[in-house]
Amino acid sequence: MLKILLFGKNGQLGAELLRSLAVFGEVIAPERGQSGGDLANAADIRGAVLRVMPDIVVNAAAFTDVDAAEGQPDIARAINADAPALLARSCGETGAWFVHYSSDYVFDGSGGTRPWTEDDPARPLNAYGLSKLLGDQSVMQNCARHLIFRTSWLYAAHGENFAKKILRRLRKDGQLTVVNDQFGVPTAANWLADLTVVALARVLADERLAGLYHAAAAGETSWHGYACFVVEQAQKTGLLAGVPINAVRPVASTAYEQTARRPMNSRLDTSKLRRTFGLNPPDWQVGVANVVEELA
Ligand SMILES: NC(=O)c1ccc[n+]([C@@H]2O[C@H](COP(=O)([O-])OP(=O)(O)OC[C@H]3O[C@@H](n4cnc5c(N)ncnc54)[C@H](OP(=O)(O)O)[C@@H]3O)[C@@H](O)[C@H]2O)c1
């Protein structure tokens, strides 16, 4: 029976990990407001690792508001880079495994339609992406026993995400505009949490599989395509009756004001994940349809 220390249990992914990680044994998941649960408090989180002496530390906590990070880059860096660095160092000292999550926003969105591999150079366009990239680098430097999963456009029935915002806005205003020239893949938090368990079981048996992996659903779409699919599914389930599909209007990024710049090409190449763990990510539509049904 293993002991796992989980940070961020109230987030989209954290809530799913609280469920999936239980197969390994005891999951200790401090609240942000509790002793040992605040990533902004370095002494506190290091103390939690040394006190609990877990076999595995899983960090699903992060500063995830991409636009807010532009105005608070120091806080984003403290939570997304300094805290993971410290957790990784603590794991390096105690021999624990460290599992961490990162983002497609470490890339600059160039490269046309070619999906990004783990070996491609990361050049973030915004403060959030930079803080996540610094986090990745420090985890790799400070703890050999690491798993980092870079994912994209995460969603779940629990927590806050694009799909839920779309549904709220359509119910309130009856229409909205969504960018149609940024491409990526919506990825289900429950799939990523289950994948974490499969990968952990494998690395616990073979340390050579430690490393950085791109982990996203199969296929691709734009934010506009994603929004239209959500609306279609919401109509089917009766969640959004009477709202026509053309209520979601496409708009170019250049005509849509956002505080943080975002990559046009957020596609992640998951070949390494497929090859190493023998996993085939599901098509993105499957998970989105399930979550809309759950919301209904
Ligand atoms: N969301 C996406 O589209 C997306 C895309 C790519 C990668 N990712 C990455 O995937 C991971 C999980 O994302 P998510 O969508 O599940 O995030 P989320 O739903 O926004 O949850 C993040 C969690 O972190 C917690 N947190 C924030 N600051 C903290 C602090 N100082 N101390 C302790 N906890 C703190 C939050 O606590 P409160 O509940 O108290 O605020 C929240 O529970 C993150 O590493 C993120 O960067 C996300």
Side-chain angles (χ1 to χ4, degrees), residues 8 10-14 32 37-40 60-64 79 101-104 128 132 151-154:
N10 294 321
Q12 301 190 83
L13 178 61
R32 182 178 178 168
D38 185 359
L39 261 60
F63 187 113
T64 53
I79 308 300
Y101 300 89
S102 184
S103 168
D104 51 330
Y128 167 77
K132 294 300 292 185
T151 192
S152 61
W153 303 14
L154 211 55

Side-chain angles (χ1 to χ4, degrees), residues 5-8 17 39 57-62 79 84 87 98-101:
L5 181 58
L6 168 67
F7 293 95
L17 284 164
L39 261 60
V57 174
V58 180
N59 179 32
I79 308 300
L87 288 174
F98 186 52
V99 182
H100 183 68
Y101 300 89

Side-chain angles (χ1 to χ4, degrees), residues 142-239:
N142 286 294
C143 181
R145 289 179 165 180
H146 67 263
L147 276 174
I148 302 172
F149 297 109
R150 277 197 194 133
T151 192
S152 61
W153 303 14
L154 211 55
Y155 64 87
H158 166 90
E160 194 48 48
N161 54 58
F162 174 80
K164 288 169 91 172
K165 274 185 205 149
I166 291 292
L167 292 172
R168 261 201 317 271
R169 281 281 306 280
L170 283 173
R171 265 194 229 105
K172 184 168 160 276
D173 302 332
Q175 60 175 39
L176 82 171
T177 50
V178 183
V179 293
N180 67 348
D181 53 6
Q182 294 170 18
F183 288 85
V185 197
T187 301
N190 58 4
W191 173 76
L192 187 56
D194 291 342
L195 175 153
T196 300
V197 168
V198 173
L200 260 173
R202 293 286 308 282
V203 294
L204 289 170
D206 183 354
E207 290 202 13
R208 291 169 304 173
L209 303 184
L212 167 70
Y213 294 90
H214 286 178
E220 64 171 65
T221 187
S222 67
W223 288 108
H224 179 259
Y226 179 14
C228 289
F229 185 76
V230 168
V231 173
E232 256 172 52
Q233 297 306 306
Q235 286 168 338
K236 273 190 200 160
T237 58
L239 194 61

Side-chain angles (χ1 to χ4, degrees), residues 87-99:
L87 288 174
R89 243 191 329 273
S90 307
C91 289
E93 284 164 30
T94 62
W97 277 88
F98 186 52
V99 182

Side-chain angles (χ1 to χ4, degrees), residues 155 188 190 229 282-292:
Y155 64 87
N190 58 4
F229 185 76
D283 289 338
W284 67 267
Q285 292 95 330
V286 176
V288 174
N290 286 342
V291 161
V292 174

